[in-house]
Amino acid sequence: MDVLLSPQPPTAFPHQYDPNRRSSPRPMSCYNANRKRKAEDDIDEMSVSPTNSPAVQIRQLGNRQTKKLRSNEITGRPLPLPRLLETLDVTQLRTVLQTICERQPEIGEEVVKSAPRPTVGCSLEVLRGYYDKFREAFPYGESSSDYTYYRVKQPLVALLEALSDFTPQYLPPIEPSANVSLQYLDGVTKIIHSLPQWESQSHRHHKENAYDELSGAWAQVISEASKKGAGFLLHSGGWDQILAKHNQESGGRLGAAISSMSANLQWVGGRQGGNNTMGGQGSILDELMAGNFGSPVRVGPR
């Protein structure tokens, strides 16, 4: 029983614990074959790898392009101010600027200070634009004087209001140059000559009032010019003759201007030698004062 119950050493294979036993060597050819097969498997795995396949490369390139396009995407935004101003015509730009100046008077004052002074040519061009609108308002065909007047009354009043606003800009002391003032007055007086002479006396007051306003403006410019030593300009520039023609065409409604011109040119004539004659001929001032301007010119000695 003791023999049966005593522990027995584990049964082992004969060669498991034999230190003198050598394992059989593996052939070199098998080793090289296994190594070669492993390298080929690695190459196959790389060729079929999802990251190295052409489809994945194209997809990755497409993703990069998509990201690039997304980074350049534009969204809606207002037009920049310089581009917006390029789209506005003169009338629209003037309307926008006028609206801003009316809302913010300080901006209007800054515009007045910063804007260049209008030239005579620009001012006359604006007034001729009003005159053209007035002429375009006339009805076609034969119409009564009253119907025509009421048809063109609105543009007529707009023209005269513009003239009343522009004229003070060219009077002293705002305009220091007498020659500039006279050029403007010459141009606007021609415009007033072109206005129709209405049959009804009640419709004539527009033109008559315009003549009265211009006559005072002429007189003021002539008087200030003589004070500044520019009286010689009035005579040498032929303004006495120009004014005389205007007075004749207006039907004598520029009397104040004629009186101022006569007085100041007589003063200039006194400085030049005390007479108002030129080459033995009576000057235009003599004819103006005598009321004979426009009469036939005498030829030969008196």
Coordinates of all heavy atoms in Angstrom, one line a residue, residues 90-140:
V90 N -25.1 111.0 -62.3 CA -25.0 112.3 -61.6 C -26.3 112.6 -60.8 O -26.2 113.1 -59.7 CB -24.7 113.4 -62.7 CG1 -24.7 114.7 -62.0 CG2 -23.4 113.1 -63.4
T91 N -27.4 112.3 -61.4 CA -28.7 112.7 -60.7 C -28.8 111.9 -59.4 O -29.2 112.4 -58.3 CB -29.9 112.4 -61.6 OG1 -29.7 113.2 -62.8 CG2 -31.2 112.8 -60.9
Q92 N -28.5 110.6 -59.5 CA -28.6 109.7 -58.3 C -27.6 110.1 -57.2 O -28.0 110.2 -56.0 CB -28.4 108.2 -58.7 CG -29.5 107.7 -59.6 CD -29.2 106.3 -60.1 OE1 -28.0 106.0 -60.3 NE2 -30.2 105.5 -60.3
L93 N -26.4 110.4 -57.7 CA -25.4 110.8 -56.7 C -25.7 112.1 -56.0 O -25.6 112.3 -54.8 CB -24.0 110.9 -57.4 CG -22.8 111.2 -56.5 CD1 -22.7 110.0 -55.5 CD2 -21.6 111.3 -57.4
R94 N -26.3 113.0 -56.8 CA -26.7 114.3 -56.2 C -27.8 114.1 -55.2 O -27.9 114.8 -54.2 CB -27.1 115.3 -57.4 CG -27.4 116.7 -56.9 CD -28.0 117.5 -58.0 NE -27.1 117.7 -59.1 CZ -27.3 117.2 -60.3 NH1 -28.4 116.6 -60.6 NH2 -26.4 117.4 -61.2
T95 N -28.8 113.2 -55.6 CA -29.9 113.0 -54.6 C -29.4 112.4 -53.3 O -29.8 112.8 -52.2 CB -30.9 112.1 -55.3 OG1 -31.4 112.7 -56.5 CG2 -32.1 111.8 -54.4
V96 N -28.5 111.4 -53.4 CA -28.0 110.8 -52.2 C -27.2 111.8 -51.4 O -27.4 111.9 -50.1 CB -27.1 109.6 -52.6 CG1 -26.3 109.1 -51.4 CG2 -27.9 108.5 -53.2
L97 N -26.4 112.6 -52.0 CA -25.6 113.6 -51.2 C -26.5 114.6 -50.6 O -26.3 115.0 -49.5 CB -24.6 114.2 -52.2 CG -23.6 115.3 -51.5 CD1 -22.8 114.6 -50.4 CD2 -22.7 115.9 -52.6
Q98 N -27.5 115.1 -51.3 CA -28.4 116.1 -50.8 C -29.2 115.5 -49.6 O -29.4 116.2 -48.6 CB -29.4 116.5 -51.9 CG -30.3 117.7 -51.5 CD -31.1 118.2 -52.6 OE1 -30.9 117.8 -53.7 NE2 -32.1 119.1 -52.3
T99 N -29.6 114.3 -49.7 CA -30.4 113.6 -48.6 C -29.5 113.6 -47.3 O -29.9 113.9 -46.2 CB -30.8 112.2 -49.0 OG1 -31.7 112.3 -50.2 CG2 -31.6 111.6 -47.9
I100 N -28.2 113.2 -47.5 CA -27.3 113.1 -46.4 C -27.1 114.5 -45.8 O -27.1 114.6 -44.5 CB -26.0 112.5 -46.8 CG1 -26.2 111.0 -47.3 CG2 -24.9 112.5 -45.7 CD1 -25.0 110.3 -47.8
C101 N -26.9 115.5 -46.6 CA -26.7 116.8 -46.1 C -27.9 117.4 -45.3 O -27.7 118.1 -44.4 CB -26.3 117.8 -47.2 SG -24.7 117.4 -48.0
E102 N -29.1 117.0 -45.8 CA -30.3 117.5 -45.1 C -30.4 116.8 -43.8 O -30.9 117.4 -42.8 CB -31.5 117.2 -46.0 CG -31.6 118.1 -47.2 CD -32.7 117.7 -48.2 OE1 -33.4 116.7 -47.9 OE2 -33.0 118.5 -49.1
R103 N -30.1 115.5 -43.7 CA -30.1 114.8 -42.4 C -29.1 115.2 -41.4 O -29.3 115.3 -40.2 CB -30.0 113.3 -42.6 CG -31.2 112.7 -43.4 CD -31.0 111.2 -43.7 NE -32.1 110.6 -44.4 CZ -32.1 109.4 -44.9 NH1 -31.0 108.6 -44.6 NH2 -33.1 108.9 -45.5
Q104 N -27.9 115.6 -41.9 CA -26.8 116.0 -41.1 C -26.2 117.3 -41.6 O -25.4 117.3 -42.5 CB -25.7 114.9 -41.1 CG -26.2 113.5 -40.6 CD -25.1 112.5 -40.5 OE1 -23.9 112.8 -40.3 NE2 -25.5 111.2 -40.7
P105 N -26.7 118.4 -41.1 CA -26.3 119.8 -41.6 C -24.8 120.0 -41.5 O -24.3 120.7 -42.3 CB -27.1 120.7 -40.7 CG -28.3 119.9 -40.2 CD -27.8 118.5 -40.1
E106 N -24.2 119.4 -40.5 CA -22.7 119.6 -40.4 C -22.0 119.1 -41.6 O -21.0 119.6 -42.1 CB -22.2 119.0 -39.1 CG -22.3 117.5 -39.0 CD -23.6 117.0 -38.5 OE1 -24.5 117.9 -38.4 OE2 -23.8 115.8 -38.3
I107 N -22.5 118.0 -42.2 CA -21.9 117.4 -43.4 C -22.1 118.4 -44.6 O -21.3 118.6 -45.4 CB -22.4 116.0 -43.7 CG1 -22.1 115.1 -42.6 CG2 -22.0 115.5 -45.1 CD1 -22.5 113.7 -42.8
G108 N -23.3 119.0 -44.6 CA -23.6 120.0 -45.7 C -22.7 121.2 -45.6 O -22.2 121.6 -46.7
E109 N -22.4 121.6 -44.4 CA -21.4 122.7 -44.3 C -20.0 122.3 -44.8 O -19.3 123.1 -45.4 CB -21.4 123.2 -42.8 CG -22.7 123.8 -42.3 CD -22.7 124.1 -40.9 OE1 -21.6 123.9 -40.2 OE2 -23.7 124.6 -40.3
E110 N -19.6 121.1 -44.5 CA -18.3 120.6 -44.9 C -18.3 120.5 -46.4 O -17.2 120.8 -47.0 CB -18.0 119.3 -44.3 CG -16.6 118.8 -44.5 CD -15.6 119.7 -43.9 OE1 -15.9 120.3 -42.9 OE2 -14.4 119.7 -44.4
V111 N -19.4 120.1 -47.0 CA -19.4 120.0 -48.5 C -19.3 121.4 -49.1 O -18.5 121.6 -50.1 CB -20.7 119.3 -49.0 CG1 -20.9 119.4 -50.5 CG2 -20.7 117.9 -48.5
V112 N -20.0 122.4 -48.5 CA -19.9 123.7 -49.1 C -18.5 124.3 -49.0 O -18.0 125.0 -49.9 CB -20.9 124.7 -48.3 CG1 -20.6 126.1 -48.7 CG2 -22.3 124.2 -48.6
K113 N -17.8 124.0 -47.9 CA -16.4 124.4 -47.7 C -15.4 123.7 -48.6 O -14.4 124.3 -49.1 CB -16.0 124.3 -46.2 CG -16.7 125.1 -45.3 CD -16.3 124.8 -43.8 CE -17.1 125.7 -42.8 NZ -16.7 125.4 -41.4
S114 N -15.7 122.4 -48.9 CA -14.7 121.6 -49.6 C -14.9 121.7 -51.1 O -14.0 121.4 -51.9 CB -14.8 120.2 -49.1 OG -14.6 120.1 -47.8
A115 N -16.1 121.9 -51.6 CA -16.4 121.9 -53.0 C -15.8 123.1 -53.7 O -15.7 124.2 -53.2 CB -18.0 121.9 -53.2
P116 N -15.2 122.9 -54.9 CA -14.7 124.0 -55.7 C -15.7 125.0 -56.1 O -16.9 124.6 -56.3 CB -14.0 123.3 -56.9 CG -14.8 122.0 -57.0 CD -15.2 121.6 -55.6
R117 N -15.3 126.2 -56.3 CA -16.3 127.2 -56.7 C -16.7 126.9 -58.2 O -15.9 126.5 -59.0 CB -15.6 128.6 -56.7 CG -15.4 129.2 -55.3 CD -14.6 130.5 -55.4 NE -15.3 131.4 -56.2 CZ -16.3 132.2 -55.8 NH1 -16.7 132.1 -54.5 NH2 -16.9 133.1 -56.6
P118 N -18.0 127.0 -58.4 CA -18.5 126.7 -59.8 C -18.0 127.8 -60.8 O -17.9 129.0 -60.5 CB -20.0 126.7 -59.7 CG -20.2 127.6 -58.5 CD -19.1 127.4 -57.6
T119 N -17.5 127.3 -61.9 CA -17.1 128.2 -63.0 C -18.3 128.8 -63.7 O -19.5 128.3 -63.5 CB -16.2 127.5 -64.0 OG1 -17.0 126.5 -64.7 CG2 -15.0 126.9 -63.3
V120 N -18.1 129.9 -64.4 CA -19.2 130.5 -65.2 C -19.8 129.5 -66.2 O -21.0 129.4 -66.3 CB -18.7 131.8 -65.9 CG1 -19.8 132.4 -66.8 CG2 -18.3 132.9 -64.9
G121 N -18.9 128.8 -66.8 CA -19.4 127.8 -67.8 C -20.3 126.7 -67.2 O -21.3 126.4 -67.8
C122 N -19.9 126.2 -66.0 CA -20.7 125.2 -65.4 C -22.1 125.8 -64.9 O -23.1 125.1 -65.1 CB -20.0 124.7 -64.2 SG -18.5 123.7 -64.6
S123 N -22.1 127.0 -64.4 CA -23.3 127.6 -63.9 C -24.3 127.8 -65.1 O -25.5 127.5 -65.0 CB -23.0 128.9 -63.2 OG -22.2 128.6 -62.0
L124 N -23.7 128.4 -66.2 CA -24.6 128.6 -67.3 C -25.1 127.3 -68.0 O -26.2 127.3 -68.5 CB -23.8 129.4 -68.4 CG -23.4 130.9 -68.0 CD1 -22.6 131.6 -69.1 CD2 -24.7 131.7 -67.7
E125 N -24.3 126.3 -67.9 CA -24.7 125.0 -68.4 C -25.9 124.5 -67.6 O -26.9 123.9 -68.2 CB -23.6 124.0 -68.4 CG -23.9 122.6 -69.0 CD -22.7 121.7 -69.0 OE1 -21.6 122.1 -68.6 OE2 -22.9 120.5 -69.4
V126 N -25.9 124.6 -66.3 CA -27.0 124.2 -65.5 C -28.2 125.0 -65.8 O -29.3 124.5 -66.0 CB -26.6 124.3 -64.0 CG1 -27.9 124.1 -63.1 CG2 -25.5 123.4 -63.6
L127 N -28.1 126.3 -66.0 CA -29.2 127.2 -66.3 C -29.8 126.9 -67.7 O -31.0 126.9 -67.9 CB -28.8 128.6 -66.2 CG -28.5 129.1 -64.7 CD1 -28.0 130.5 -64.8 CD2 -29.7 129.0 -63.8
R128 N -28.9 126.6 -68.6 CA -29.4 126.2 -69.9 C -30.1 124.9 -69.9 O -31.1 124.6 -70.7 CB -28.2 126.1 -70.9 CG -27.6 127.5 -71.2 CD -26.6 127.4 -72.4 NE -25.9 128.7 -72.6 CZ -24.6 128.9 -72.2 NH1 -24.0 127.9 -71.6 NH2 -24.1 130.0 -72.4
G129 N -29.7 124.0 -69.0 CA -30.5 122.7 -68.8 C -31.9 123.0 -68.3 O -32.9 122.4 -68.8
Y130 N -32.1 123.9 -67.4 CA -33.4 124.3 -67.0 C -34.2 124.9 -68.2 O -35.4 124.7 -68.3 CB -33.4 125.3 -65.8 CG -33.1 124.7 -64.5 CD1 -31.8 124.7 -63.9 CD2 -34.1 124.0 -63.8 CE1 -31.6 124.1 -62.7 CE2 -33.9 123.5 -62.6 CZ -32.6 123.5 -62.0 OH -32.4 122.9 -60.8
Y131 N -33.5 125.7 -68.9 CA -34.2 126.4 -70.1 C -34.6 125.3 -71.1 O -35.7 125.4 -71.7 CB -33.2 127.4 -70.7 CG -33.8 128.1 -71.9 CD1 -34.8 129.1 -71.8 CD2 -33.4 127.7 -73.2 CE1 -35.3 129.7 -72.9 CE2 -34.0 128.3 -74.3 CZ -34.9 129.3 -74.2 OH -35.5 129.9 -75.3
D132 N -33.8 124.3 -71.3 CA -34.2 123.3 -72.3 C -35.4 122.5 -71.8 O -36.3 122.2 -72.6 CB -33.0 122.3 -72.5 CG -31.8 123.0 -73.2 OD1 -32.0 124.0 -73.9 OD2 -30.7 122.4 -73.1
K133 N -35.5 122.3 -70.5 CA -36.7 121.6 -70.0 C -37.9 122.5 -70.2 O -39.0 122.0 -70.4 CB -36.5 121.3 -68.5 CG -35.4 120.2 -68.3 CD -35.2 119.9 -66.8 CE -34.2 118.9 -66.5 NZ -34.0 118.6 -65.1
F134 N -37.7 123.8 -70.0 CA -38.8 124.7 -70.2 C -39.3 124.7 -71.7 O -40.5 124.6 -72.0 CB -38.3 126.1 -69.8 CG -39.2 127.3 -70.4 CD1 -40.5 127.5 -69.9 CD2 -38.7 128.1 -71.4 CE1 -41.2 128.5 -70.3 CE2 -39.5 129.1 -71.9 CZ -40.7 129.3 -71.4
R135 N -38.4 124.7 -72.6 CA -38.8 124.6 -74.0 C -39.4 123.3 -74.4 O -40.3 123.2 -75.2 CB -37.5 124.8 -74.9 CG -36.9 126.2 -74.8 CD -37.8 127.3 -75.1 NE -38.3 127.2 -76.4 CZ -39.2 128.1 -77.0 NH1 -39.6 129.1 -76.2 NH2 -39.6 128.0 -78.2
E136 N -39.0 122.2 -73.8 CA -39.5 120.9 -74.1 C -41.0 120.7 -73.6 O -41.7 119.9 -74.1 CB -38.6 119.8 -73.5 CG -37.3 119.7 -74.1 CD -36.4 118.7 -73.3 OE1 -36.8 118.2 -72.3 OE2 -35.2 118.5 -73.8
A137 N -41.3 121.6 -72.6 CA -42.7 121.5 -72.1 C -43.7 122.2 -72.9 O -44.9 122.0 -72.7 CB -42.7 122.1 -70.7
F138 N -43.3 122.9 -74.0 CA -44.3 123.6 -74.9 C -45.1 122.5 -75.6 O -44.6 121.5 -76.1 CB -43.6 124.5 -75.9 CG -43.3 125.8 -75.3 CD1 -42.3 126.1 -74.5 CD2 -44.1 126.9 -75.7 CE1 -42.0 127.3 -74.0 CE2 -43.9 128.2 -75.2 CZ -42.8 128.4 -74.4
P139 N -46.4 122.8 -75.7 CA -47.3 121.8 -76.4 C -47.1 121.9 -77.9 O -46.6 122.9 -78.5 CB -48.7 122.3 -76.1 CG -48.6 123.7 -75.8 CD -47.2 123.9 -75.2
Y140 N -47.4 120.8 -78.6 CA -47.3 120.7 -80.0 C -48.5 121.4 -80.7 O -49.6 121.4 -80.2 CB -47.2 119.2 -80.5 CG -45.9 118.5 -80.1 CD1 -46.0 117.6 -79.0 CD2 -44.7 118.7 -80.7 CE1 -44.8 117.0 -78.6 CE2 -43.6 118.1 -80.3 CZ -43.6 117.2 -79.3 OH -42.5 116.5 -78.9

